[in-house]
Amino acid sequence: MDILVLLKQTFDTEEKIVLEDGQISEDGVEFIINPYDEYAVEEALKIKEELGGTVTTLSLGPDRFESSIRTALAMGADQAILIDDESLFGDEYTVSNVLAKVIQEQSYNLILAGHVAIDDGSGQVPQRIAEILGIPFIGTAVKVEINGSDVIVHRDVEGDTEIVETKLPVLITTQQGLNEPRYPSLPGIMKAKKKPLARPDVDISEEAIQAKTEVLETYLPPKKSGGKILKGEIKDQTKELVQLLRNEAKVI
Amino acid sequence: MGQKVLVFAEEKNGKLRNVSFEVLAAAKKIANGGEIASILFGLDSNEYVQALAKHGADKVFVVLDPSLTQYVTDVYKEAFIEVVKQFQPDAILIGHTPIGRDMAPKIAAALKIGLITDNIDLEVIDDKIVFTRPIYAGKAFVKKIAYDSPVFATIRPNNIAMEEADPSRSAEKITLSFSPSQDALRVKVRDVIRKASKGVDLSEAKIVISGGRGVKSKEGFEKLYEVAEILGAAVGASRGACDAEYADYSLQVGQTGKVVTPDLYIALGISGAIQHVAGMSNSKVIVAVNKDPEAPIFQIADYGIVGDLFEVLPILVDELKALVN
């Protein structure tokens, strides 16, 4: 079983967002594997442990991605591909074209990816890649079972569970609740330093990397100042709260 | 110049979802007197067609095939593209629901066009549609445009107000037959296990009541459901509460969970970690109840009670019941 994992590096969830000249500043920011992609890495490793094969991570992004890729290698992935050519970054349309182009040159049975990245929250790239590759897509998996070429996935749909089946090859996106990602072991970290990280050039048409959307402006939400802290006995405070919600805020 | 706008109408539990009417309101902003068409899949319902007409649809495409009674990504994608070919829209809008999120990028990839997802607002400036969407789960925002025609976007539920129904309006119903390709049938739905039937859906709820570690147990969460039921609210949870197994992960609100924007968010026993705040800080009114007066949640709350949530809850239930009666 050859498994590809789409891996993106994102800001640590604890980071505050700071703007500098209208752009999001990366100064002093801690980076992590996108938490949803981490579920994808873990699931790939579990499937490999059961069925054998290889796990390859695939990323499109700047050089700094290497630290997160090494983490995935330390968790147990076998090898990694990083496309760090800035002219290929673009939007979801271009990113999907570039990644699909690279995937077409790999051998794979299964592609796993986080169902959304916690930075731009766009949630488009996996679906687009499945479409370009012409393979089935299954989103928000909370359980994956593979039996020969049969695949059964339990997917989360607003808290309900949908059980779907298909056949390999397939692209599946991972949702919280699927697994508990492992921590890299110390020997794993040592080994990861020597695992192959390819940085291939991608030969792709101009048209495929022309972005279809443009960000005009990035801004921060207005700062909230603390509101009204109620006073007195809990009973009176609660009564006052209900009145305020009813008459002042008019939300109940 | 009038624009042709195509919107997706989505049904859930025997009702059209509110977001379907919200996307119609968004479509109206774009249409500028042009034509608005809705899509209904697998449902030959005149009642739905009328409801969509009253909220702004001029045409309703009803696409019928047994394969459309259950959502399957590629089947819906193919049916959707059939309607796009027929109607030739200048813009397409879909609710950012689980179905919308799942199929919109597939449709965009098949049509080789851009897509802007999860928008909370849109405005037309100099003939350009400018979309507003949160990034980093609401820690920042971007304004974005798409170059293609059709312009394609998904709209987050609960952010664009639906318009009042206009009973004098009617719509032309166009019934299309459709049959999916063999490829589209490669994924089959075997079963659906309904767990979330309890209460209201988080993403569309006008009121969300969330519990954190301070709720202390699964039983504690049952008390939240009591208040939620009186208010017609949905129940949410912090990561801490989910990790402690007081609540299911599907209820988690935050940067690695659901991002919600209700009219009222009630945070009970939630300290206000930055990841949680990212998921709810854009709610219109925020109430916090926490024993710790230093809890960061109070910095973003509109109303705060420093105290034990289990003291507050029964009084809240009584007061709300009195109000409802």
Side-chain angles (χ1 to χ4, degrees), chain A:
Chain A
M1 178 76 69
D2 292 329
I3 308 169
L4 296 180
V5 179
L6 306 183
L7 187 141
K8 186 177 185 182
Q9 186 183 57
T10 54
F11 279 35
D12 190 293
T13 55
E14 288 189 24
E15 293 293 343
K16 289 202 167 110
I17 302 298
V18 177
L19 286 190
E20 234 174 52
D21 302 325
Q23 302 287 328
I24 288 172
S25 167
E26 294 189 355
D27 276 359
V29 165
E30 293 282 335
F31 291 98
I32 55 169
I33 299 176
N34 173 41
Y36 291 100
D37 297 353
E38 211 178 4
Y39 300 127
V41 173
E42 175 63 32
E43 199 62 18
L45 297 173
K46 282 171 70 176
I47 294 168
K48 180 194 153 183
E49 281 159 7
E50 199 191 318
L51 303 171
T54 59
V55 174
T56 306
T57 68
L58 173 58
S59 309
L60 171 63
D63 193 52
R64 62 168 161 80
F65 272 32
E66 180 167 345
S67 60
S68 292
I69 292 168
R70 292 288 170 200
T71 304
L73 292 170
M75 287 168 74
D78 299 288
Q79 54 193 12
I81 301 169
L82 171 63
I83 317 297
D84 58 5
D85 177 350
E86 218 170 295
S87 70
L88 303 177
F89 291 174
D91 68 357
E92 296 89 350
Y93 167 80
T94 66
V95 166
S96 310
N97 283 337
V98 172
L99 290 175
K101 177 91 185 179
V102 176
I103 291 168
Q104 276 157 347
E105 287 157 21
Q106 313 296 316
S107 125
Y108 66 88
N109 312 98
L110 174 65
I111 304 174
L112 295 170
H115 90 93
V116 70
I118 60 160
D119 47 12
D120 62 30
S122 168
Q124 295 190 36
V125 169
Q127 285 95 318
R128 283 178 177 269
I129 289 176
E131 181 67 26
I132 299 166
L133 297 175
I135 61 174
F137 167 83
I138 299 174
T140 56
V142 290
K143 188 177 176 186
V144 177
E145 292 173 334
I146 297 174
N147 218 322
S149 65
D150 294 332
V151 182
I152 294 177
V153 176
H154 293 221
R155 46 187 308 261
D156 166 55
V157 184
E158 283 175 312
D160 288 337
T161 303
E162 204 176 272
I163 302 167
V164 299
E165 56 184 19
T166 192
K167 291 202 180 292
L168 295 173
V170 57
L171 192 155
I172 298 170
T173 64
T174 50
Q175 168 69 307
Q176 194 168 35
L178 175 64
N179 56 40
E180 279 291 328
R182 69 194 67 187
Y183 289 103
S185 65
L186 196 58
I189 294 168
M190 300 310 290
K191 273 189 216 158
K193 291 178 182 162
K194 291 189 192 127
K195 285 183 179 172
L197 168 56
R199 294 168 185 264
D201 291 325
V202 184
D203 183 19
I204 193 160
S205 72
E206 272 302 309
E207 193 205 339
I209 51 167
Q210 287 290 321
K212 302 267 187 187
T213 56
E214 185 190 339
V215 172
L216 301 178
E217 188 190 348
T218 303
Y219 61 98
L220 300 178
K223 267 220 157 48
K224 271 210 155 186
S225 52
K228 200 181 270 183
I229 303 290
L230 308 179
K231 297 265 185 288
E233 293 291 315
I234 291 289
K235 189 169 177 140
D236 298 332
Q237 286 193 43
T238 310
K239 284 185 168 182
E240 190 186 348
L241 173 68
V242 171
Q243 289 315 313
L244 285 167
L245 293 178
R246 177 80 168 180
N247 300 322
E248 191 177 88
K250 297 186 168 58
V251 285
I252 59 172

Side-chain angles (χ1 to χ4, degrees), chain B residues 283-324:
Chain B
S283 305
K284 286 183 198 89
V285 175
I286 297 169
V287 170
V289 179
N290 201 301
K291 275 202 268 196
D292 175 9
E294 302 297 321
I297 191 83
F298 287 120
Q299 288 165 20
I300 59 153
D302 297 281
Y303 304 109
I305 292 181
V306 178
D308 184 349
L309 70 99
F310 290 107
E311 259 183 76
V312 172
L313 272 175
I315 307 166
L316 193 60
V317 168
D318 287 348
E319 287 296 310
L320 290 172
K321 275 186 179 157
L323 203 67
V324 170

Side-chain angles (χ1 to χ4, degrees), chain B residues 24-88:
Chain B
L24 277 170
K28 219 167 165 183
K29 290 189 182 186
I30 299 171
N32 188 24
E35 198 173 25
I36 299 174
S38 263
I39 298 184
L40 258 178
F41 281 163
L43 283 163
D44 194 5
S45 161
N46 285 326
E47 190 192 328
Y48 289 168
V49 171
Q50 278 165 22
L52 293 165
K54 284 173 189 162
H55 283 91
D58 302 301
K59 272 184 183 164
V60 179
F61 288 94
V62 179
V63 189
L64 294 173
D65 186 74
S67 65
L68 293 165
T69 50
Q70 168 76 47
Y71 174 74
V72 173
T73 311
D74 278 333
V75 174
Y76 269 45
K77 173 200 76 188
E78 288 183 356
F80 204 101
I81 288 171
E82 281 297 313
V83 181
V84 171
K85 279 183 191 155
Q86 287 254 344
F87 186 61
Q88 299 283 327

